[in-house]
Amino acid sequence: MLHEPSVEIGTDKAAPKKAKLGVIMFVIYTVVYAGFVLIGLTKPELMGLELIGGQNIAIIYGFGLIVLAVVMGFIYNYFCTKMEDKLNKNQ
Amino acid sequence: MIYEVSNLAIFIFIFIVGVVLGLSFYFARKTKSAASYYAAGGNIHWGVNGIAFAGDYLSAASFLGICGMIAFSGYDGFLYSIGYLAGWVVALFLVAEPLRKLGKYTFTDALDSRFNSKSIKLTAAISTLIVSVFYLIPQMVGAGDLVVPLLGLPHWIGVVIVGSIVIFIVATAGMTSTTYVQFIKGALLVVFSSILTFYILQNGLSLKPTESYHQFTELNAVVSSDTVVSVEDADYTVKATAVAGKNLFVRLEKDGADRWFKLSRKDDQTTLSEALSTTDKADGTKLFNGATQAERKFYQVGHLSKIIVDGKEVDKTGPVGPFEFIKILENSEVIRFSKASFSDGSDKVTVWYQQPTTGKDIMKPGLKYKLSKKAGATFWDKMNFLSLMLALFLGTSALPHILIRYYTVPSQRAARKSTIVAIAAIGFFYILTLYMGLGSMIGGVLDMESSNMSGPLLAKSIGVGLFSIISAIAFATVLGTVSGLIVASSGAIAHDFIDKYLQVEMSDKGKVKAGKLAAFGVGIFAIILGILFKGMNVSFLVGLAFAVAASANLPAILFLLFWKKTTAKGIAWSIVVGIVSSIGIILFSPSMYEKYGLIPKDAPIPLDNPGVISIPLAVITLVIVSLLTQKDNSTKDFTK
């Protein structure tokens, strides 16, 4: 009685697959994020280097991390929804 | 600083606060059960919840703190934007759905779902409370900062107003109304920040930021055997000199008013450049640039000293595109103001002196968090940077008031979709923070005494209407966030501690009543802390809240979800170690030493953000204790 969720949820057969996808995407993002931190720690001068269109690495990498988070969010949702629809069809 | 108060500002402020209260009353009538008080009955639409997420997250810290930090320290403020958003990735990919499946009302329920352990209930409730309080401090500080220019009231009154309104909202309504308040305010914040950014780009860059911008005086000094004896301009007389660090400051008198100047030598020429100053006299009076506060000599500052477009110097650019803005700024030169403090006889003086900074330095990390050897970065400077980035990355998914929002939607799918709506809205907003921050840096609007007001003051330079709306939204932001935090902490006290830990028998109505009483207590406590922490950058304070959350809660959540050998004792000990180590390091950090009135360099731990030590410590504790207490798990059945 103590720990039922506030709303009932049926069994989700897609859960293990979604969890696996989540971990993979998390690792990818973490690697990219760690790259940014690592540049800051080891080669901070590199951050000021001009890359394209007069923008330096700090700006492009920083904006990139924000955009990447949004884009990966959409991709994750797309695949999760697809898995749920496919695996939970017969409920 | 002293501000003119406008009636329009007061009207808009009262209107928005009125709407917020009205909404709360409306939803309060629907809040009868514990489920609707703590989790809005689990029936909020994912789109609404997503924007409400953004509303919860884009707190005073994001809008006021980040803009202010970018305005004062350039790209280093933007690090917060990057880290705050990256934190959502952890929340979405690892925590959102599994946690939605586990929980009932609170973070503690979720952690305890497998174990039914008393020690988890107690430690998780304490941790929720501590993290919420840490997160409440910056919100209250921000609220106080807002009312100073908006309503012309002292800082502490702002804190008291916010505290009282929020206690009222929470005590009457609970989660449903905080959700709708957050939804409206989250949406408004993004829309009006876009409008402000549009204005910044339309106005472009200019050497004279506003019509009334103060022209800083430069004087040639006459020096004899390393002391300033006189100034070429005979209107000025030398009154005193003072040394602070490597800098020499000179007090000059003209027409009966004393002002401080910073001495600099270039080739054979010694020049004195005007600085801003506040002087605390021994008799308790305070002077602003040698005059009383009412004389308004403490100017708003921040300007460009050189604008270079395609290799040519210009006075102003006219409208620019978003990428052009950054590119031009990178090639130009900005006058920032650095702070120094010293004693002048019995007076305590703080000066803010002009510091020309190249655009190149502004557009990369390093002004606040020293990173390069050239700037004299030490090992601990680098650790500070690492610690901040780690705490921001791992902190988001460990904030109780963010976590409880997963319980307000009807399904896991809705939880996920909400998170994505939130990430998109927040990501877009964070990109805007860079423009709002840089716009204030060069817009001649900065109040040197408080970085938190940079964004709203920039809006004020554009128009008092825009300023009022943005300030009112920021104020509503504080209201919403504080409500959410207080719901989370009252949940920790009434639901986790009294109901589940002490197992006091209560009816559904009694639970709601206990929650409201707890909300009242936490609210009063938050008001006191908000007054005590006046003057600190709110984003910095939030960084600390993230570090405590990431140390105390995140290892527990992640290991519970992904490591089968995790035991109840492991979780409880990891929470305790996370809280104690992170708060311990904060209390002995250089920033807190400055707050205590001690010398920051004397702080025993040269770290401003504890994450890099306390997070690994919590993880190690969890693993070791779990491995030592494996037999606890063998008696339980985890097949469900």
Side-chain angles (χ1 to χ4, degrees):
Chain A
M1 270 309 281
L2 273 173
H3 296 295
E4 80 278 24
S6 56
V7 177
E8 286 304 317
I9 298 169
T11 46
D12 180 9
K13 287 180 188 158
K17 281 200 156 184
K18 286 193 290 183
K20 201 177 164 196
L21 178 68
V23 172
I24 293 169
M25 296 194 88
F26 167 75
V27 170
I28 294 172
Y29 193 86
T30 307
V31 168
V32 181
Y33 185 82
F36 178 82
V37 178
L38 219 64
I39 293 177
L41 286 176
T42 56
K43 289 246 180 289
E45 321 76 51
L46 214 63
M47 286 282 193
L49 208 71
E50 203 174 288
L51 208 59
I52 341 162
Q55 309 295 328
N56 66 22
I57 289 184
I59 291 290
I60 291 172
Y61 212 145
F63 275 30
L65 277 169
I66 291 179
V67 174
L68 183 68
V70 178
V71 171
M72 284 179 78
F74 280 108
I75 295 174
Y76 174 72
N77 183 49
Y78 173 79
F79 283 109
C80 283
T81 312
K82 223 170 138 180
M83 282 180 217
E84 282 167 1
D85 289 346
K86 199 174 145 198
L87 296 169
N88 298 334
K89 228 182 215 165
N90 303 327
Q91 281 181 25
Chain B
M1 180 150 291
I2 190 162
Y3 300 94
E4 267 174 76
V5 178
S6 99
N7 288 330
L8 180 68
I10 295 174
F11 173 76
I12 292 177
F13 172 79
I14 292 174
F15 178 75
I16 291 191
V17 173
V19 169
V20 168
L21 284 180
L23 265 179
S24 291
F25 277 131
Y26 177 74
F27 289 109
R29 290 206 313 231
K30 297 184 172 176
T31 306
K32 294 285 181 281
S33 67
S36 69
Y37 180 75
Y38 293 116
N43 270 317
I44 303 268
H45 183 266
W46 57 266
V48 172
N49 202 54
I51 299 292
F53 251 137
D56 259 328
Y57 201 64
L58 299 178
S59 63
S62 294
F63 180 58
L64 303 176
I66 293 182
C67 287
M69 212 177 258
I70 294 174
F72 278 58
S73 311
Y75 194 93
D76 282 354
F78 192 55
L79 288 175
Y80 280 82
S81 293
I82 295 169
Y84 282 146
L85 191 75
W88 278 93
V89 169
V90 186
L92 174 66
F93 293 155
L94 296 183
V95 180
E97 290 189 49
L99 203 71
R100 176 71 189 79
K101 207 165 69 179
L102 292 178
K104 190 181 175 191
Y105 298 139
T106 63
F107 160 69
T108 309
D109 284 339
L111 270 191
D112 194 32
S113 55
R114 253 183 21 197
F115 303 108
N116 196 12
S117 138
K118 277 213 153 192
S119 50
I120 289 188
K121 286 187 186 93
L122 182 64
T123 49
I126 292 174
S127 156
T128 300
L129 201 59
I130 290 181
V131 173
S132 300
V133 167
F134 257 87
Y135 209 85
L136 273 170
I137 299 172
Q139 312 300 328
M140 302 305 266
V141 171
D145 279 342
L146 270 170
V147 298
V148 177
L150 189 71
L151 305 176
L153 298 169
H155 184 272
W156 70 270
I157 294 188
V159 177
V160 173
I161 295 179
V162 168
S164 327
I165 297 178
V166 165
I167 291 172
F168 190 65
I169 295 179
V170 177
T172 48
M175 199 62 186
T176 313
S177 71
T178 57
T179 301
Y180 281 96
V181 168
Q182 292 297 41
F183 167 69
I184 293 171
K185 159 233 123 168
L188 283 177
L189 190 63
V190 173
V191 169
F192 278 92
S193 299
S194 311
I195 294 174
L196 187 57
T197 305
F198 174 77
Y199 270 109
I200 294 166
L201 296 175
Q202 276 299 305
N203 289 345
L205 297 89
S206 165
L207 287 181
K208 196 171 166 54
T210 54
E211 276 311 308
S212 55
Y213 192 70
H214 179 66
Q215 286 297 321
F216 286 88
T217 316
E218 292 275 327
L219 300 163
N220 289 329
V222 182
V223 181
S224 156
S225 60
D226 269 358
T227 43
V228 179
V229 283
S230 66
V231 180
E232 275 178 17
D233 187 336
D235 292 345
Y236 291 90
T237 40
V238 178
K239 289 286 199 181
T241 55
V243 180
K246 279 184 249 165
N247 297 314
L248 184 75
F249 297 95
V250 182
R251 176 152 62 90
L252 300 178
E253 188 252 10
K254 185 196 177 189
D255 304 331
D258 286 23
R259 278 183 290 166
W260 284 93
F261 288 71
K262 181 180 170 284
L263 184 130
S264 53
R265 291 196 181 90
K266 207 176 182 185
D267 305 326
D268 283 341
Q269 189 59 54
T270 306
T271 49
L272 294 170
S273 41
E274 186 184 347
L276 291 175
S277 67
T278 58
T279 309
D280 287 302
K281 297 281 227 188
D283 62 9
T285 54
K286 189 172 181 181
L287 294 180
F288 293 80
N289 268 0
T292 61
Q293 192 169 25
E295 288 174 74
R296 297 188 189 197
K297 296 285 186 203
F298 195 72
Y299 311 101
Q300 285 173 277
V301 293
H303 61 275
L304 285 153
S305 49
K306 209 184 275 173
I307 304 173
I308 294 173
V309 184
D310 301 327
K312 272 183 263 161
E313 253 193 271
V314 296
D315 284 346
K316 63 174 175 194
T317 61
V320 287
F323 288 106
E324 212 185 345
F325 180 85
I326 293 174
K327 188 177 158 187
I328 296 172
L329 194 65
E330 213 182 316
N331 294 319
S332 305
E333 188 185 75
V334 178
I335 302 292
R336 295 189 311 133
F337 286 76
S338 297
K339 186 176 169 182
S341 304
F342 49 83
S343 306
D344 173 27
S346 60
D347 299 347
K348 284 210 177 317
V349 181
T350 306
V351 292
W352 289 268
Y353 58 91
Q354 300 182 49
Q355 185 150 44
T357 312
T358 62
K360 290 218 165 10
D361 284 338
I362 287 168
M363 301 312 295
K364 65 174 192 203
L367 289 178
K368 185 176 167 68
Y369 296 96
K370 274 190 248 163
L371 288 174
S372 70
K373 282 208 182 89
K374 246 189 346 197
T378 63
F379 171 75
W380 288 109
D381 287 327
K382 287 180 185 246
M383 283 301 111
N384 254 330
F385 170 76
L386 177 63
S387 202
L388 174 77
M389 297 311 279
L390 194 65
L392 297 183
F393 189 50
L394 298 177
T396 304
S397 36
L399 293 173
H401 75 290
I402 295 291
L403 291 175
I404 55 172
R405 202 156 277 299
Y406 287 118
Y407 308 134
T408 59
V409 286
S411 68
Q412 279 167 277
R413 186 181 283 201
R416 187 176 66 234
K417 283 184 177 171
S418 299
T419 317
I420 288 158
V421 170
I423 292 182
I426 296 167
F428 176 65
F429 176 82
Y430 279 157
I431 287 183
L432 300 182
T433 56
L434 185 67
Y435 292 96
M436 293 190 284
L438 293 174
S440 343
M441 178 185 244
I442 60 171
V445 297
L446 303 181
D447 172 357
M448 280 298 127
E449 281 197 299
S450 167
S451 62
N452 297 330
M453 281 306 286
S454 308
L457 287 173
L458 177 69
K460 195 174 186 181
S461 75
I462 290 165
V464 97
L466 191 63
F467 165 69
S468 322
I469 296 169
I470 284 194
S471 302
I473 295 169
F475 197 82
T477 299
V478 177
L479 287 183
T481 311
V482 174
S483 316
L485 286 166
I486 291 186
V487 171
S489 10
S490 74
I493 296 175
H495 176 76
D496 300 338
F497 185 68
I498 300 178
D499 186 17
K500 291 283 155 64
Y501 181 74
L502 299 177
Q503 300 192 327
V504 176
E505 278 294 322
M506 278 190 293
S507 64
D508 206 43
K509 252 191 181 160
K511 283 181 195 172
V512 174
K513 194 175 169 193
K516 288 176 176 178
L517 274 175
F520 185 77
V522 177
I524 300 285
F525 190 53
I527 291 176
I528 297 168
L529 290 173
I531 295 169
L532 289 178
F533 278 81
K534 183 196 167 187
M536 287 182 97
N537 180 287
V538 294
S539 219
F540 172 76
L541 291 170
V542 167
L544 298 184
F546 269 63
V548 178
S551 317
N553 299 346
L554 197 74
I557 299 170
L558 287 186
F559 277 84
L560 174 80
L561 295 176
F562 293 98
W563 196 45
K564 288 210 171 64
K565 290 185 170 170
T566 309
T567 63
K569 288 196 180 98
I571 287 182
W573 276 106
S574 139
I575 293 175
V576 171
V577 168
I579 294 174
V580 172
S581 60
S582 56
I583 294 184
I585 295 171
I586 290 171
L587 291 178
F588 292 101
S589 68
S591 292
M592 286 310 291
Y593 262 53
E594 196 180 349
K595 192 78 202 155
Y596 306 146
L598 300 168
I599 300 159
K601 278 207 176 97
D602 290 352
I605 301 160
L607 260 185
D608 269 331
N609 193 303
V612 74
I613 296 176
S614 55
I615 298 170
L617 217 54
V619 170
I620 293 169
T621 308
L622 193 148
V623 172
I624 292 178
V625 176
S626 292
L627 288 176
L628 290 176
T629 53
Q630 279 304 300
K631 61 177 189 313
D632 289 8
N633 274 9
S634 57
T635 56
K636 284 194 174 133
D637 174 25
F638 292 133
T639 45
K640 62 169 184 172

